[in-house]
Amino acid sequence: MKVIGWKGFWLFSTVVVWIAGCSSDPNPSTSEGKTSGESVQVDAAQAKETYQSNCMSCHGDQLQGAQGPSLEKVGAKFSSKEIETIIQRGRGSMPAQVSLNPEERKNLAGWLAEKK
Ligand code: HEC
């Protein structure tokens, strides 16, 4: 019974984090509203700029991947919070991207989380 494997694990943990993220949404005014909790305001132009100067060399100019994996569907795999953590701490053979300030990191993570 090894059919699930890593993909299943990531899918599972993504769903768990997603659910946990929703229930702990500290946003009382929109609890009943129509605005989806996941959508953060993202400055796409700024995110692209941050991406180009910090990530493109390893993930490709079109997110297609190079030395690092493709990020074209990264939002289907990770939430923006998880992407922030990957940027901040690195992962596997990806080094932590310490030159981003917290705002750049958050904006970039939000932008990438929309790539599904
Ligand atoms: C030095 C090359 C390098 C740079 C620069 C780099 N990455 Fe990576 N990245 C990698 C490698 C290699 C992996 C695969 C890590 C692993 O899981 O072993 C990776 C994995 C990832 C993942 C997980 C993808 C997945 O499907 O598992 C995300 C998200 C990511 N990088 C985002 C970024 C972002 C955003 C930046 C810029 C702020 C960035 N990376 C900069 C090399 C890099």
Side-chain angles (χ1 to χ4, degrees), residues 10 50-51 54-59 67-71 74 77-78 82-83 86-87 91-95 97 100 108-109 112:
W10 279 115
T50 313
Y51 178 84
N54 295 282
C55 325
M56 192 173 82
S57 55
C58 292
H59 290 283
Q67 185 187 334
S70 156
L71 300 179
V74 71
K77 207 165 158 187
F78 300 109
E82 289 171 305
I83 297 172
I86 294 171
I87 297 171
R91 195 168 96 96
S93 47
M94 172 175 155
Q97 300 300 303
L100 275 71
L108 176 61
L112 285 170

Side-chain angles (χ1 to χ4, degrees), residues 11-116:
L11 191 65
F12 176 73
S13 54
T14 304
V15 169
V16 169
V17 169
W18 182 65
I19 291 166
C22 277
S23 54
S24 64
D25 190 352
N27 210 345
S29 60
T30 57
S31 58
E32 204 71 12
K34 289 166 182 86
T35 41
S36 107
E38 266 292 295
S39 69
V40 199
Q41 266 167 9
V42 169
D43 182 340
Q46 203 217 306
K48 276 183 203 156
E49 223 175 278
T50 313
Y51 178 84
Q52 280 166 3
S53 41
N54 295 282
C55 325
M56 192 173 82
S57 55
C58 292
H59 290 283
D61 60 349
Q62 304 294 322
L63 310 174
Q64 78 276 27
Q67 185 187 334
S70 156
L71 300 179
E72 285 162 310
K73 300 245 160 81
V74 71
K77 207 165 158 187
F78 300 109
S79 70
S80 61
K81 277 259 145 56
E82 289 171 305
I83 297 172
E84 265 191 74
T85 306
I86 294 171
I87 297 171
Q88 193 171 12
R89 301 198 193 145
R91 195 168 96 96
S93 47
M94 172 175 155
Q97 300 300 303
V98 290
S99 63
L100 275 71
N101 69 39
E103 262 157 53
E104 286 171 330
R105 195 162 58 223
K106 191 162 195 223
N107 187 54
L108 176 61
W111 179 68
L112 285 170
E114 288 171 2
K115 310 285 170 205
K116 315 187 189 192

